[in-house]
């Protein structure tokens, strides 16, 4: 296959992945505690080009573009007051611990509710854990003392879907290095809609450039094929 076709196609595939990531950020601009992603790109397989007639060096050219991975920005966002007694925000870098079917997971989304059993749970129904690693019961007044919630610091946190995160936990407590829990407040989303829209437009233009490059190369190859056919 013509190298130019391969380079253009790899760039288009990479931009498709980037557009999916940006679309996910845009869809979560109002999700409490959401952390925005960034798609890292890199080139690989550089080849040294030279003049076929003289042998003089022309320079290097990449053979493809790939997505090097998706990086999440876990920077804490400002808290906003909601007045809801079961909304909790963390002022700091910690995470709430929750018990899921897959094991202990962590979240910054403190928009909790009460289960039929009277326990504090996430929107997915997963129990929120307290400082002792046990589910937290909601009081008869429909409130929970924020000091009862466990907050941990995570080493190498990674998204696990549904607003949950995995990582190595340390420093359980409702105050301290992990941060302080505040009732009646939620952390804002880390997704910036204005930046996401700019990134989306830039990605779409890069994708369209790849399309045009493929069309141009296809036209050239088609003309060359016709000329060879007419000579034979």
């Amino acid at each position: 296959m013509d190298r130019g076709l391969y380079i253009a196609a790899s760039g288009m595939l990479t931009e498709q992945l980037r557009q999916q990531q940006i679309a996910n950020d845009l869809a979560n601009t109002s999700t409490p505690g959401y952390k925005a992603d960034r798609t890292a790109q890199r080139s690989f397989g550089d080849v040294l080009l030279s003049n076929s007639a003289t042998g003089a060096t022309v320079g290097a050219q990449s053979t493809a573009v790939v997505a090097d991975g998706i990086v999440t920005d876990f920077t804490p966002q400002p808290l906003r007051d909601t007045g809801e007694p079961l909304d909790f925000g963390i002022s700091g870098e910690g995470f709430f611990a929750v018990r899921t079917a897959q094991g202990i997971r962590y979240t910054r989304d403190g928009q909790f509710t009460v289960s039929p059993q009277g326990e504090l749970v996430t929107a997915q129904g997963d129990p929120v854990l307290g400082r002792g690693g046990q589910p937290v019961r909601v009081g008869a007044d429909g409130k929970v003392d924020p000091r009862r919630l466990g907050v941990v610091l995570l080493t190498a946190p990674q998204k696990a879907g549904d607003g949950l995160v995995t990582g190595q936990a340390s420093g359980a407590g409702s105050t301290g290095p992990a941060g302080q829990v505040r009732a009646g407040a939620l952390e804002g989303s880390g997704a910036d809609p204005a930046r996401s829209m700019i990134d989306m437009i830039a990605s779409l233009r890069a994708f369209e450039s790849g399309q045009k490059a493929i069309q141009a190369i296809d036209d050239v190859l088609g003309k060359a094929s016709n000329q060879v056919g007419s000579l034979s």
Side-chain angles (χ1 to χ4, degrees), residues 4-20 22 41 65 198-216:
L5 288 173
Y6 183 70
I7 295 173
S10 68
M12 291 172 66
L13 290 172
T14 301
E15 291 303 330
Q16 278 187 319
L17 178 63
R18 185 183 175 201
Q19 288 169 29
Q20 292 172 0
I22 296 171
Q41 300 178 357
V65 179
I198 293 173
D199 289 346
M200 178 68 79
I201 293 172
S203 179
L204 286 172
R205 287 178 177 172
F207 186 87
E208 291 171 351
S209 296
Q211 284 182 314
K212 292 177 180 178
I214 289 178
Q215 290 172 353

Side-chain angles (χ1 to χ4, degrees), residues 3 17 36 42 44 86 103 107 123 126-128 158 170 176 200 210 231:
R3 184 179 296 144
L17 178 63
R42 67 178 176 86
F44 72 93
L86 297 184
T107 184
D126 298 321
V128 180
Q158 291 192 359
S170 63
M200 178 68 79
L231 291 175

